[in-house]
Amino acid sequence: QAILAQGCARRMSVVLVQATISSNRLHAMLSPSSRNGGPVYRVAVSNLGKSRIQRHAGGIAEEDNLGHFFSDRGCKVKDVQLIVDNKSHKSRGFAFVDFDDDASLQSALTLDGESLTEGGATLCVEVARAAAGEAQRRENNLLRARDETDDLCRLVGLRNARVHELARDLERNREHQHQVVVRKDVDEELSAERRLQETLQRNLETLRETEEVLSIAVHAEQQRTSALENIMVSIDEEQSSATRMRTMQIRPMALRAMSKPTARV
């Protein structure tokens, strides 16, 4: 019971960290002070694993683990941004962590050289360079927008077996996206990603409506098939009954014919 209680307590702590990070991200998006260049308490964490990230409904598991690492040690985590390669969906080995105050920032810097997991690689924790903060934020927003676009494409892929034409259109859009060689301004690319997401959402809704129509049509055809099979069975039974009746009528006639005396010559 003690082990179970510890496990439940740890899971609850992880959920609270995830909820705090999500709430802080929303607050940062809506708060005028964050848009007006207020103080940012941010560290750069490097020497992280470069494996494929694990997504869940609330975000990225690796970001949750990193936020939990700092919050367990008394830091007030505001946001965690893991840098992810858009093509391979693998971590690039570093992340940025924002805190609510300077005290949490100083506490985080003392964790330099510690390991995220027992026996794992030692982390490098240092103050993030302020000069690259705005550009990094915009780049991170672009990476997140691309990840959201990939999620929408996977949802569309689940329905492409039923509506092939729309699926081919979506695939051509994805191929065109990967064929872009010249890099545009980050803000323009972010706007393009948002427009693509809107298009994918509309296509997804169209696919869903088409699937419902096809399902109704298939159900109706199944009912017609069942009715036709019942009719055929009734016809077979009627034919079998008529055959038996004719057989029963022929037998007495044959017996009477056999019982008549043969005429003498």
Side-chain angles (χ1 to χ4, degrees):
Q1 292 179 351
I3 295 175
L4 180 60
Q6 292 176 359
C8 293
R10 179 166 181 81
R11 284 194 296 271
M12 182 61 69
S13 177
V14 172
V15 171
L16 290 175
V17 171
Q18 294 175 356
T20 300
I21 293 175
S22 300
S23 176
N24 288 332
R25 284 180 178 171
L26 180 61
H27 178 74
M29 293 172 60
L30 301 178
S31 174
S33 62
S34 63
R35 293 196 299 268
N36 294 333
V40 177
Y41 306 103
R42 175 176 298 171
V43 298
V45 183
S46 57
N47 204 27
L48 297 169
K50 296 183 178 182
S51 58
R52 188 178 182 87
I53 61 174
Q54 298 180 0
R55 295 185 179 277
H56 55 77
I60 300 176
E62 288 76 6
E63 288 184 346
D64 299 338
N65 294 337
L66 187 58
H68 190 70
F69 169 79
F70 285 105
S71 63
D72 279 351
R73 289 156 178 80
C75 302
K76 298 179 180 179
V77 178
K78 183 178 182 180
D79 190 20
V80 180
Q81 296 180 350
L82 180 69
I83 307 305
V84 179
D85 184 85
N86 185 54
K87 293 183 179 180
S88 64
H89 300 285
K90 292 183 178 180
S91 169
R92 293 184 178 179
F94 63 97
F96 294 93
V97 182
D98 293 345
F99 301 97
D100 286 337
D101 49 41
D102 184 67
S104 297
L105 173 65
Q106 299 303 323
S107 298
L109 293 175
T110 63
L111 302 176
D112 180 45
E114 292 197 16
S115 299
L116 187 61
T117 58
E118 184 177 356
T122 57
L123 302 179
C124 178
V125 183
E126 57 186 355
V127 178
R129 291 180 295 176
E134 178 62 18
Q136 186 61 56
R137 182 188 64 80
R138 295 165 64 189
E139 181 68 21
N140 290 341
N141 289 338
L142 176 59
L143 293 174
R144 291 182 184 280
R146 287 176 175 172
D147 290 339
E148 294 172 0
T149 302
D150 291 339
D151 292 339
L152 290 173
C153 288
R154 280 191 291 272
L155 290 176
V156 173
L158 295 175
R159 303 179 186 273
N160 64 1
R162 297 181 180 237
V163 186
H164 297 286
E165 185 59 34
L166 284 175
R168 284 194 294 268
D169 291 340
L170 294 176
E171 186 62 23
R172 282 195 292 270
N173 289 334
R174 296 303 302 151
E175 290 176 359
H176 177 71
Q177 179 183 355
H178 290 297
Q179 290 172 358
V180 175
V181 178
V182 180
R183 303 288 296 177
K184 297 181 180 179
D185 183 76
V186 173
D187 290 335
E188 294 180 358
E189 289 197 32
L190 180 57
S191 298
E193 290 293 334
R194 295 303 184 190
R195 290 193 296 271
L196 178 57
Q197 291 177 21
E198 293 175 357
T199 301
L200 292 173
Q201 286 283 16
R202 290 193 295 270
N203 290 338
L204 181 60
E205 184 62 27
T206 301
L207 288 172
R208 187 180 294 110
E209 293 175 356
T210 305
E211 180 182 356
E212 292 178 357
V213 172
L214 291 174
S215 297
I216 294 173
V218 169
H219 181 68
E221 290 299 325
Q222 289 175 345
Q223 289 182 336
R224 293 191 188 99
T225 301
S226 178
L228 182 60
E229 289 176 349
N230 292 334
I231 292 173
M232 295 305 296
V233 170
S234 298
I235 292 174
D236 290 342
E237 290 178 353
E238 290 178 359
Q239 290 178 349
S240 298
S241 177
T243 301
R244 287 193 299 270
M245 291 295 295
R246 286 196 297 270
T247 301
M248 293 175 64
Q249 291 174 358
I250 292 172
R251 284 182 179 176
M253 294 175 61
L255 292 174
R256 287 196 296 270
M258 292 176 62
S259 64
K260 291 182 178 180
T262 306
R264 296 183 179 179
V265 180

